[in-house]
Amino acid sequence: MVGNVPQQHTVIEVAPARIWLHDLREMLAWYEKNLCEPEFLDPRGHRVQATPERFPHCIQLLQKNSTFEVNNPQKHVLAIKEGTASNEDFGGYDTERAQTLGWIPYVIQRPSRILELITQPLIGKKKAGDTLYIKRFCNTKSSPRYKRLVCRRVGSQLLLIITCHPDDHDNYSPKLYRQVYPEPNGKGRSMRPFCPLIIPRGCGESR
């Protein structure tokens, strides 16, 4: 747990354990249990919520025999959950994204910084995001060292997760984004307690 961390000090942590799950149904169950059910608050006290229909985008689930992401993700989530669709019915997924789903709570609760889009267009292929949570991790064996969480604000203190990407930088144009955390004036603010993950069978310590 990290407490009372001044904003002017970037929070850099050792990369958490990866998730060694391969079956989509098991992976979806983990995602719902560990990311959708808990309540996650960022350092400002804003709630960041994951929803089941964003699962395919968070792992970049592909259409069968295609390099394009699936359409109608809610339909595919239901099929995976009911067992009427399995790994063989899709064109694969991004292994790096899937294995680092467990990093998302760290990105939300102890980000290196939070950026908001100043003007349109919105972020992402579907143009649905307006807020970036960025966290730098150390002790990773290879790039990326950063995790970028794309969210959309739907209330004064509520954001929904759109997708999450690995990244090898945190350079973003100040003409497009404004930094809202840490505050530019460097005022300190206490960090909120970290919510521990429920680690199921199939997860390991390898990075």
Side-chain angles (χ1 to χ4, degrees):
M1 179 181 296
V2 176
N4 300 321
V5 179
Q7 287 189 334
Q8 61 265 31
H9 297 298
T10 301
V11 181
I12 304 176
E13 297 182 62
V14 173
R18 289 176 179 261
I19 302 168
W20 299 103
L21 297 175
H22 306 284
D23 180 78
L24 286 173
R25 194 175 187 182
E26 293 180 357
M27 200 183 303
L28 174 59
W30 187 97
Y31 173 90
E32 292 184 319
K33 183 68 175 178
N34 290 275
L35 298 180
C36 297
E37 292 182 11
E39 180 180 88
F40 297 111
L41 300 178
D42 73 14
R44 305 169 297 170
H46 297 187
R47 185 159 62 95
V48 181
Q49 179 67 52
T51 57
E53 61 267 22
R54 301 310 304 180
F55 170 72
H57 294 299
C58 285
I59 66 170
Q60 198 174 24
L61 185 62
L62 303 179
Q63 301 173 32
K64 190 169 185 177
N65 301 320
S66 174
T67 57
F68 293 99
E69 284 192 46
V70 296
N71 296 313
N72 199 348
Q74 191 170 12
K75 179 187 73 173
H76 295 298
V77 166
L78 182 61
I80 292 170
K81 187 180 298 187
E82 292 180 343
T84 58
S86 62
N87 293 55
E88 291 73 23
D89 298 299
F90 301 97
Y93 55 85
D94 188 300
T95 303
E96 178 71 22
R97 293 196 196 189
Q99 290 182 356
T100 57
L101 285 174
W103 299 14
I104 290 177
Y106 295 78
V107 179
I108 296 170
Q109 296 181 317
R110 296 200 291 266
S112 300
R113 57 185 183 140
I114 303 172
L115 306 177
E116 288 183 351
L117 196 65
I118 296 174
T119 59
Q120 303 290 343
L122 297 177
I123 306 163
K125 186 177 180 180
K126 301 297 183 181
K127 308 300 182 185
D130 54 27
T131 305
L132 295 178
Y133 287 76
I134 303 163
K135 185 169 181 64
R136 180 183 175 186
F137 292 99
C138 65
N139 287 10
T140 54
K141 292 182 178 179
S142 60
S143 292
R145 294 179 298 166
Y146 296 90
K147 192 76 168 173
R148 176 180 56 166
L149 185 69
V150 181
C151 297
R152 180 177 73 251
R153 183 170 293 281
V154 295
S156 61
Q157 294 194 342
L158 176 62
L159 299 97
L160 295 181
I161 292 176
I162 301 302
T163 190
C164 196
H165 304 276
D167 218 334
D168 60 358
H169 71 88
D170 70 340
N171 299 318
Y172 298 92
S173 170
K175 294 181 181 179
L176 299 177
Y177 302 94
R178 59 172 171 267
Q179 182 168 307
V180 296
Y181 180 88
E183 296 176 3
N185 58 18
K187 289 183 179 179
R189 186 178 299 176
S190 296
M191 301 295 286
R192 293 181 171 270
F194 181 72
C195 177
L197 289 173
I198 302 169
I199 304 297
R201 183 182 303 173
C203 297
E205 296 298 326
S206 174
R207 300 181 183 87

